[in-house]
Amino acid sequence: MAFGQDLYSQLDDKFLWMLLVGFMAQLVDGALGMGYGVISTTLLLSGGLNPAVISGSIHTAEMFSSGASGFSHYRFGNVNKKLFKTLLIPGVLGAIAGALLLGYAGEEFSVWIRPVISIYTLLLGIRILTNAFKEKQKPQKVKRAGWLAGAGGFLDSFGGGGWGPLVTSTLISKGRTPKYVIGSVSLTEFFVTMASAVTFFFILGVSHWQSILGLILGGVVAAPLAARLVGKLPIKKMFIGVGIIVIISSVRIIWMFIDKLT
């Protein structure tokens, strides 16, 4: 009883804010296949935390919410098993490599690599929006999907986000059905974030537990709702939603980079 009261006394307005952030971030991520890292990283960066601590905190929380999301997508039949198997191992290896590099090399390299990838995802976002207003596109074969997953896992750990914008955007831009892309990528994301979180734990330990707990609880509540939503949304609107969120997040990172240089 005393432990519970002590725990409750440490939960302040920041915890409630992170609860809301976790809910909204997972709702967007689960429904559109991207956005969790972008939304969460933006808010935590404003608090002046070390980028490695931010990425570690986000991935610790995201491990729970992505697990709930992946399970929900699987239960609702949104997962392409072949695509999941193709993405799994490279994504996990990329996440471990990104976490190790960020944990030991610091933030100087991540400052430069994120704008470069953001230019790529910006172009993908524009392409996805264009596809939304075209007639149904014939699916193209996705070459080197394993390399794509490896890059996505690396950037997700190294830059605090990037798995969804890079992997989901690329697969959808090839004309793949958004429902199955989002479901498969979301299930894979659980294993990617777990690999990243465990690596950060061994390097940095766990800190800022109130923020992590808020993100976890909000994300777990939102995950089933998001998974059900992804099967109900019209494909055209899903293309538009994915395109818009990729463009906004990409422009934001590019703008922040330019602002730092001036």
Side-chain angles (χ1 to χ4, degrees), residues 126-159:
I126 294 171
R127 183 177 178 183
I128 291 169
L129 269 182
T130 303
N131 288 343
F133 297 98
K134 290 181 178 180
E135 294 184 6
K136 187 175 181 181
Q137 182 181 359
K138 184 179 180 181
Q140 303 175 35
K141 185 175 181 181
V142 181
K143 298 179 180 179
R144 302 183 183 89
W147 287 101
L148 175 67
F154 177 86
L155 290 168
D156 198 65
S157 291
F158 193 54

Side-chain angles (χ1 to χ4, degrees), residues 159-172:
W163 171 258
L166 184 62
V167 180
T168 304
S169 300
T170 302
L171 294 174
I172 290 180

Side-chain angles (χ1 to χ4, degrees), residues 204-244:
L204 305 172
V206 177
S207 57
H208 307 286
W209 67 266
Q210 295 95 333
S211 297
I212 295 173
L213 182 61
L215 289 171
I216 289 172
L217 294 179
V220 168
V221 171
L225 177 62
R228 181 171 289 277
L229 187 64
V230 77
K232 303 293 183 181
L233 290 174
I235 289 181
K236 181 177 180 180
K237 291 183 179 179
M238 290 181 67
F239 270 113
I240 294 173
V242 171
I244 289 174

Side-chain angles (χ1 to χ4, degrees), residues 168-190:
T168 304
S169 300
T170 302
L171 294 174
I172 290 180
S173 72
K174 297 294 185 180
R176 296 291 174 178
T177 304
K179 173 181 176 179
Y180 295 110
V181 168
I182 293 171
S184 304
V185 171
S186 295
L187 180 59
T188 311
E189 187 177 22
F190 165 69

